[in-house]
Amino acid sequence: MTPDEFRELYERLRRQTAREAARPAVDDRCGALRHLTPERVAAAAAEVRLGRSVSLAAPIDTVRGPDDPEPAVHRMTGPSPGDVASGALCFATDRFAMNVHGDADSHLDALCHVVFDGELYGGVPAGTVTAEGARSLSVSLVENGIVGRGVLLDIPRLRGVRWLKPGDQVTPDDLTAAESAQGVRVGAGDLLFVRVGHRLRRTELGPWNAAEARAGLHPAAVEFLAEREVAALGGDGNNDTAPSAVRDVAFPVHVLAIHALGIHLMDYLQFEDLVPVCARAGRWSFLCVVAPLRLTGATGSPVNPLAVL
């Protein structure tokens, strides 16, 4: 996609968002989550038939690697040897610290995460993100969680491979073909999850520098999200390919999805536990519960989405 084609797509999606936000009784403060109505949340509960929950998050990594130069730090703070030896009541305690927006750990991007043309989503000035945190569009917008109908589209399954190679791109045709092959259709208010096999490849071949080479969505696939009125998007990679599909725009899918459409993104999830459950059940939709941490002013959060079948 040329820079001019990208800009035309970006402007078209922004105009569509502006038209939708201008409708009577529409609350656009949460972006595309406006599509996730109470009625659709209630309908998603009907997806539960097996009473089984499956995590879509990868274990948090504390080991430095080529895709994780700043791994999470887990430090035990108690009990001390003296506490244990005393025989008195004591507690095991610990502390975590992490880079939320890395290339290894599962996380959710808030709507303030992408600055483009000097603005955040919806024309909010970029200056609202300060050294003290984001004063607007932070992860606090989803402090009550994101609950709705999840749909998993498995692109390696569609193509008959174990995973997509780094640099490969998922097109709109891939998404519609996966729907047909899996007997499911993405609808308004859905939480769409697109598997490229990144996590399986990392597990079997070892980590690599995913900042330089990774599979993801082609920018044109974001039109699919807009047409279907998707509420949130999650992938087992970064959602964007590397190298970028657009010259001079490093993360075009992030710009189009978050900045133009107001879609919360979830990066570096894992679907290897969910795929066999869906395959045995013969269905690829489920109730999904996403519960970010209540972090004031944060640009994102570690996340552990749960699929409930």
Side-chain angles (χ1 to χ4, degrees):
M1 179 176 284
T2 69
D4 287 344
E5 290 170 334
F6 171 80
R7 175 60 69 170
E8 193 279 330
L9 175 57
Y10 169 78
E11 296 294 348
R12 186 166 70 250
L13 294 178
R14 281 200 75 179
R15 289 193 298 270
Q16 176 179 330
T17 299
R19 287 194 301 270
E20 293 175 354
R23 295 173 184 169
V26 169
D27 182 355
D28 195 45
R29 289 174 297 176
C30 290
L33 292 178
R34 63 181 175 275
H35 301 310
L36 190 50
T37 63
E39 293 78 15
R40 288 170 178 160
V41 174
E47 298 284 336
V48 179
R49 303 170 195 169
L50 303 179
R52 177 174 180 181
S53 62
V54 182
S55 171
L56 307 186
I60 292 177
D61 205 339
T62 58
V63 179
R64 186 185 306 274
D67 61 347
D68 198 10
E70 297 178 305
V73 177
H74 178 209
R75 181 169 63 89
M76 297 302 298
T77 58
S80 69
D83 290 336
V84 174
S86 71
L89 172 66
C90 58
F91 299 94
T93 58
D94 47 6
R95 179 184 295 272
F96 286 94
M98 68 182 299
N99 170 22
V100 173
H101 299 287
D103 287 317
D105 295 322
S106 304
H107 64 271
L108 178 139
D109 293 338
L111 297 187
C112 63
H113 179 50
V114 174
V115 180
F116 188 68
D117 286 349
E119 296 179 341
L120 307 180
Y121 165 73
V124 173
T128 57
V129 180
T130 70
E132 288 70 42
R135 296 198 301 268
S136 182
L137 303 177
S138 76
V139 75
S140 296
L141 287 177
V142 288
E143 64 186 12
N144 292 319
I146 303 173
V147 180
R149 178 179 182 256
V151 176
L152 174 64
L153 296 183
D154 190 341
I155 307 305
R157 183 185 185 91
L158 171 71
R159 297 189 186 179
V161 297
R162 302 199 69 206
W163 51 70
L164 303 192
K165 295 179 180 179
D168 203 350
Q169 300 171 6
V170 177
T171 68
D173 288 343
D174 285 325
L175 297 178
T176 55
E179 283 184 314
S180 179
Q182 295 175 213
V184 68
R185 180 176 174 82
V186 178
D190 283 351
L191 284 54
L192 174 60
F193 299 96
V194 180
R195 179 178 179 266
V196 298
H198 178 103
R199 186 65 60 176
L200 178 62
R201 187 181 192 275
R202 186 181 190 272
T203 298
E204 296 202 358
L205 301 184
W208 70 96
N209 188 350
E212 294 184 355
R214 60 178 181 268
L217 300 182
H218 187 277
V222 180
E223 284 198 279
F224 176 95
L225 309 181
E227 291 167 359
R228 299 298 182 85
E229 298 185 340
V230 165
L233 172 68
D236 53 346
N238 176 264
N239 287 297
D240 265 295
T241 61
S244 173
V246 182
R247 191 182 74 242
D248 299 329
V249 182
F251 297 90
V253 170
H254 277 64
V255 173
L256 295 173
I258 295 177
H259 199 277
L261 294 178
I263 294 177
H264 286 80
L265 296 191
M266 287 168 277
D267 297 333
Y268 295 105
L269 304 177
Q270 69 85 19
F271 305 128
E272 305 315 310
D273 296 332
L274 179 61
V275 166
V277 177
C278 286
R280 284 195 297 270
R283 60 188 181 93
W284 299 87
S285 64
F286 39 85
L287 174 66
C288 187
V289 180
V290 182
L293 300 179
R294 298 189 68 171
L295 300 169
T296 302
T299 65
S301 170
V303 72
N304 179 20
L306 298 176
V308 187
L309 290 92

